[in-house]
Amino acid sequence: MSIEHPSFGRIDDDRVIIFDTTLRDGEQSPGFSMNLDEKLRMAKALEELGVDVIEAGFPVASPGDFESVQRIAETVKETIVCGLARSGGKRDIEAAGEAIAPAKRRRIHNFISTSPLHMKYKLRMEPETVLDLIASGNQAARQFTDDVQWSAEDGSRTEPDFLCRCVEVAIKNGANTINIPDTVGFATPDELQAIFAMLRERVPGAENVVFSTHNHNDLGLAVANTAAALAGGARQIECTINGIGERAGNAALEEIVMAIRTRHDKLAFKNNIETPRLLSVSRMLANITSFDVQPNKAIVGRNAFAHESGIHQDGILKNAATYEIMTPESVGWTKTSLVLGKHSGRAAFRDKLKALGYDLDDVTVQQAFERFKILADQKKTVFDDDIRALVDDETRDHERIKFVSLELVSGSKHPAQATLELNVDGEVRQAQVTGNGPVDAAFRAIQEIFPHDATLALFSVAAVTEGTDAQARTTVRLEENGKLVDGQGADADTVVSAVRAYVHALNKLLVKRTRAEPEALSA
């Protein structure tokens, strides 16, 4: 069995389309907003990863969201660029159509709530009105592109008969992809499978469209529900890198893709994802958003291929398959732990960056190499994670404020003193401040150099690798007028890493001041 699709041509029944919504649903998660440059970096990385569709944003939400979708549409070469719109909003659909217009391949994704709860309390609409808006929304979207997707928001809690009517109307009025989201993460795998099987059996024209699944992780079932939806007939997976998204997040792209690859006996599907790129894209997103992946995260967590138990270690040494169901290399990890030392040259450093998944320009490589040499003098052993932390910190766009230098005088007899230099808008400024400890003194110096009203909401320090000479990775959370931003910094000196994290957070806060917040919506 196969389906003819305007963007893909013939789609065989074992083909799964990967629809990534990191830049839309993922970015709506509190604290995960990205600026334009960061979104463009992520879009390029997603295309290189092999995703089929990038949902680039919700264009009508704000001028900033419109611009980011439009710039992504101009930048992406082959991947479909999708804009979100509400079915009942003519302005929504026009904005989406205009924003995606530069893309070589483009899609409009329009949606409306269909559950009794949402229709009564959120929309305050009768079912017949919802059906009318489904029809008009898809018709309007077809004026801009032949590739139209329609979603039933809160579809998993929609009455089956009404859901069938909605899908039938959507198909008749031009939708060629039908998405049934588990918007609040309420469904169980057997329920999701049954919903898709029912729609394919009961709805006229269902055999001519691609069914899509979009699952939230409120009960920790997003990936399991996604796999079940495939068994029920869905052939598009909506997911995000690292599983980010509203509330508890979405189905994680890396998890469902590797589940398909590893358990092909149960999930006999194919996709275009270049799995060795998964780790580098995961780390790029963590760096951009300043939210580290938890150590025990499947596939991309630092403990995913780590073995401490003596029994496990014995098994791994005899045969890795005893405790590893996939190879580290298949998702981008490398077995090499000791990477480079103080005698290593620039060429070896560049080769290592390439092996770790980085593709940097000459200037950035040189800047990172200079920091690496300093680190190598301070540490006996430089590990892959040290290199990643160093490079991620160096390649981050620090915007208006950049760290220059920090000198500290600290001890038990006198107040700590920090002499800090920052580059602000191209001008190097200095402050010498005392405080209750070296971190307090350094943060007070930042306040003196760049006065601001933000308050410190979180300060956290973790070691990148083991040992007393480990690099410190610091997270700083600032709050200003209800807005929260997280910044990260890495350095062999804990206080320097703290200053770098504070400066990163402050730059993100400055971006928030000048950028309208997108309206929070969830499919």
Side-chain angles (χ1 to χ4, degrees), residues 10 18 28 44 83 88 99 150 169 211-212 233 235 247 263 275 292 305 369-370 410 476 504 512:
R10 196 180 91 169
I18 304 298
Q28 289 176 190
K44 292 175 184 176
W150 175 77
V169 169
F211 279 94
S212 177
R235 290 297 181 269
R247 304 180 311 281
R263 293 306 310 272
T275 62
D292 278 339
F305 295 94
F369 179 69
E370 290 171 0
S410 180
V476 165
H504 181 221
K512 275 186 173 288

Side-chain angles (χ1 to χ4, degrees), residues 32-188:
F32 281 80
S33 61
M34 307 175 213
N35 63 34
L36 177 58
D37 288 341
E38 291 166 342
K39 284 188 173 184
L40 289 173
R41 284 175 57 201
M42 278 304 304
K44 292 175 184 176
L46 291 171
E47 182 168 45
E48 292 171 355
L49 181 63
V51 304
D52 299 292
V53 184
I54 296 173
E55 188 166 48
F58 180 49
V60 80
S62 71
D65 235 35
F66 181 93
E67 182 187 8
S68 65
V69 175
Q70 190 175 60
R71 288 288 303 279
I72 290 169
E74 294 169 349
T75 302
V76 169
K77 305 300 182 185
E78 295 294 335
T79 304
I80 294 169
V81 178
C82 177
L84 184 70
R86 290 167 290 201
S87 295
K90 180 181 178 182
R91 181 167 164 262
D92 285 43
I93 293 173
E94 289 176 348
E98 292 172 12
I100 65 172
K104 181 178 179 180
R105 303 166 72 201
R106 49 193 177 271
R107 174 182 295 188
I108 290 179
H109 173 197
N110 71 108
F111 73 98
I112 194 169
S113 295
T114 56
S115 69
L117 185 66
H118 276 223
M119 287 191 293
K120 180 177 180 180
Y121 292 104
K122 176 186 171 182
L123 298 181
R124 298 183 180 178
M125 291 180 183
E126 295 298 320
E128 293 303 320
T129 303
V130 170
L131 290 170
D132 290 342
L133 292 175
I134 293 171
S136 61
N138 283 301
Q139 291 169 9
R142 285 299 290 260
Q143 303 304 308
F144 295 94
T145 176
D146 291 335
D147 190 345
V148 174
Q149 174 171 319
W150 175 77
S151 286
E153 185 176 10
D154 207 22
S156 61
R157 295 194 294 178
T158 298
E159 294 174 341
D161 288 346
F162 185 64
L163 185 60
C164 288
R165 290 180 66 194
C166 291
V167 172
E168 182 176 359
V169 169
I171 294 172
K172 285 183 177 179
N173 287 276
N176 31 53
T177 299
I178 301 294
N179 182 43
I180 309 299
D182 184 28
T183 302
V184 293
F186 181 75
T188 59

Side-chain angles (χ1 to χ4, degrees), residues 14 38 153 204 234 283 471:
D14 63 346
E38 291 166 342
E153 185 176 10
R283 289 183 179 274
Q471 268 196 111

